[in-house]
Amino acid sequence: MNVRLERTRQGLTQEELGHRLGRDQSYVSQIESGTITASLDVVDQFAVALGTDPVDLLDPKLGRGSAN
């Protein structure tokens, strides 16, 4: 999942993103590192918190940010 890419593109820290999600920084870190696997519900929560499409987090080449 490409959470780190989108988070850093927006200039957010893990702590700031965690705050948006109502989670702590370590949860964001675990998702970004792949230590824990994100369900589709979690992908959607991250997309909402980042203001992006869930597809962009799964594969940026397929999402709205691409030049298909």
Side-chain angles (χ1 to χ4, degrees):
M1 195 161 77
N2 297 297
V3 171
R4 181 178 292 133
L5 176 67
E6 186 60 31
R7 176 183 60 76
T8 57
R9 188 181 326 206
Q10 293 186 28
L12 296 171
T13 65
Q14 288 180 340
E15 187 175 352
E16 290 167 331
L17 179 54
H19 181 71
R20 289 184 182 187
L21 291 162
R23 304 276 189 148
D24 60 21
Q25 174 273 330
S26 65
Y27 179 76
V28 176
S29 176
Q30 290 174 330
I31 290 291
E32 287 184 353
S33 69
T35 302
I36 56 176
T37 304
S39 68
L40 291 177
D41 286 338
V42 169
V43 172
D44 190 53
Q45 291 169 12
F46 273 83
V48 169
L50 290 165
T52 192
D53 193 295
V55 173
D56 291 335
L57 297 180
L58 296 172
D59 185 351
K61 292 182 228 161
L62 297 175
R64 66 177 177 198
S66 67
N68 292 340

